[in-house]
Amino acid sequence: MRTIEWREGIVLTIDQRFLPLREEWIEIRNCMDAASAIKEMKVRGAPLIGVTAAYGLALTAYHSRARSRDELMRELERCAERLRRTRPTAVNLFWAIDRVLDRARRTSGGVEELRDAVISEAIAMADEDVETNRRIGMYGARLISDGDTILTHCNAGSLATVDYGTALAVIRAAWEEGKKIRVIADETRPKLQGARLTVYELMRDGIPVTLITDNMAGYVMAKGMVDKVIVGADRIVRDGVANKIGTYTVAVLAKEHKIPFYVAAPTSTFDLSRASEDVIIEERSPDEVVYVGSTRIAPEGVKVINPAFDITPIRYVDAIICEKGVYTRREFLKLVEKT
Ligand code: MRU
């Protein structure tokens, strides 16, 4: 399921807020649209956020009336500033913006050359994302045995990327190889990406999936119902992995039950010059916690915190699967030392 398309000056994507009840495609026509799609979580998931930002810059270039290269460059930088203020945690956003701006700065020529370069960079990044995810799937599937039940958290599937997913790429690739696997999906409070999106995707593909609430993870592990855990990532730093709130809890539980805990993510999610304390954890509206859908579930005036991500210390991570292969924790730490 390809989640985002470039159509000559318009970007089409699914408004994920309405899934699984309806699959509504929306048009992103300019930088503002791209920024608000990211901020309001019409699109979400680290790699898809990055590609949407790249397309926001491509739309700026496409529709620009700039008469000089410098003027277009200034428009791109203004757009980049707006995009950077959307969501702070997933590093793919900043990586994608920097990559497009860098391509623009390195391109010689006038407005036309700059415009073409920015658009073709964004399109290439979207296509590369799919190729990257296929490779993550290929490498990751080697860790999966026939008959495994895999627990996943949040949505690291096609809907979080351009296509195929990261954690779900591993699951898809193993399934395509004929391994009879099953998935347990955490519902992922408060935004319910597991219940709404992961379950939707896997059922579409005919991959057996069972939905649990987040507080059932310990129960299913204690009952011996989980063989492996695979999650995605929003930012992999020197000493930990930032991912959807609740990932840390799952990782600690997995260690207690001696269940391998794997992270699947492209290298564009690596941010090895930073450590856990440098990661800004997005704090979202209390309404996401006190309402389920349109129903209020907690008394008016209650104090609420709503961090959207947590950080799993690297000691809980058995391996990181990326498009270059599988890094065991020890190999990853060696890579960190060299960086
Ligand atoms: O708040 P979201 O839905 O953007 O959070 C998504 C996640 O935490 C995913 O696990 C992560 O981005 C990896 S997606 C391949």
Side-chain angles (χ1 to χ4, degrees):
M1 187 200 328
R2 194 161 172 126
T3 54
I4 193 159
E5 300 275 1
W6 171 264
R7 293 274 165 78
E8 283 316 300
I10 299 175
V11 170
L12 296 175
T13 190
I14 304 169
D15 187 337
Q16 298 191 21
R17 296 171 308 171
F18 303 124
L19 287 172
L21 300 181
R22 55 178 207 275
E23 191 178 303
E24 189 174 309
W25 285 77
I26 52 166
E27 291 181 353
I28 295 177
R29 292 180 165 271
N30 52 43
C31 182
M32 266 305 247
D33 287 353
S36 65
I38 296 169
K39 179 114 192 133
E40 293 162 25
M41 292 181 69
K42 295 174 185 170
V43 297
R44 30 70 50 203
L48 182 57
I49 289 172
V51 169
T52 306
Y55 277 146
L57 290 162
L59 289 168
T60 300
Y62 187 94
H63 296 291
S64 172
R65 298 205 176 137
R67 274 181 297 198
S68 72
R69 181 198 158 86
D70 286 353
E71 198 182 338
L72 178 52
M73 205 60 227
R74 279 196 297 276
E75 287 176 13
L76 289 171
E77 270 155 12
R78 268 201 303 277
C79 170
E81 267 323 294
R82 189 167 291 156
L83 291 164
R84 283 196 182 101
R85 286 198 304 267
T86 52
R87 297 190 72 191
T89 308
V91 73
N92 308 60
L93 172 73
F94 307 94
W95 169 85
I97 294 168
D98 289 345
R99 179 166 153 180
V100 175
L101 287 184
D102 188 52
R103 170 78 189 269
R105 288 187 194 113
R106 282 188 296 103
T107 303
S108 49
V111 172
E112 276 317 305
E113 285 77 11
L114 210 60
R115 190 193 318 267
D116 291 350
V118 167
I119 295 169
S120 69
E121 190 70 14
I123 293 171
M125 286 164 74
D127 292 340
E128 267 173 36
D129 182 66
V130 185
E131 183 50 34
T132 295
N133 297 340
R134 293 261 169 203
R135 296 184 77 79
I136 290 173
M138 177 187 80
Y139 288 122
R142 296 179 188 165
L143 301 172
I144 308 301
S145 308
D146 195 21
D148 272 353
T149 297
I150 300 157
L151 184 139
T152 190
H153 189 73
C154 193
N155 172 264
S158 294
L159 288 162
T161 61
V162 176
D163 205 347
Y164 210 60
T166 58
L168 294 198
V170 175
I171 288 166
R172 285 197 163 95
W175 179 257
E176 284 159 14
E177 285 173 8
K179 292 176 183 159
K180 298 267 175 296
I181 53 173
R182 299 182 164 274
V183 178
I184 294 181
D186 285 348
E187 68 169 347
T188 319
R189 275 276 288 156
K191 295 288 281 180
L192 306 176
Q193 290 94 329
R196 297 190 304 106
L197 309 175
T198 296
V199 168
Y200 173 75
E201 274 192 36
L202 292 175
M203 287 179 78
R204 265 173 73 131
D205 283 2
I207 301 175
V209 56
T210 302
L211 174 64
I212 61 169
T213 60
D214 298 333
N215 50 0
M216 294 174 191
Y219 176 89
V220 292
M221 288 186 192
K223 287 277 178 197
M225 292 163 70
V226 180
D227 299 297
K228 271 140 205 167
V229 176
I230 310 179
V231 297
D234 288 86
R235 193 184 284 249
I236 298 176
V237 291
R238 301 174 73 80
D239 56 346
V241 174
N243 191 49
K244 180 53 53 196
I245 190 77
T247 303
Y248 173 42
T249 317
V250 174
V252 174
L253 282 168
K255 183 137 204 127
E256 169 67 20
H257 293 94
K258 301 189 172 43
I259 297 167
F261 182 91
Y262 300 132
V263 173
T267 49
S268 53
T269 306
F270 289 26
D271 187 13
L272 303 186
S273 61
R274 291 198 170 79
S276 298
E277 70 253 27
D278 308 320
V279 178
I280 300 173
I281 299 290
E282 179 184 7
E283 180 71 30
R284 295 187 59 84
S285 164
D287 284 354
E288 292 178 355
V289 176
V290 297
Y291 283 88
V292 173
S294 54
T295 306
R296 192 175 176 103
I297 55 159
E300 291 287 348
V302 66
K303 218 197 253 174
V304 169
I305 61 162
N306 186 16
F309 302 94
D310 59 25
I311 299 179
T312 299
I314 204 72
R315 66 179 178 278
Y316 293 105
V317 178
D318 291 294
I320 295 177
I321 306 155
C322 68
E323 74 276 19
K324 294 186 176 164
V326 176
Y327 291 103
T328 60
R329 179 173 53 244
R330 186 198 283 255
E331 287 164 344
F332 173 77
L333 290 171
K334 272 200 193 135
L335 178 72
V336 167
E337 259 174 44
K338 280 197 256 151
T339 308

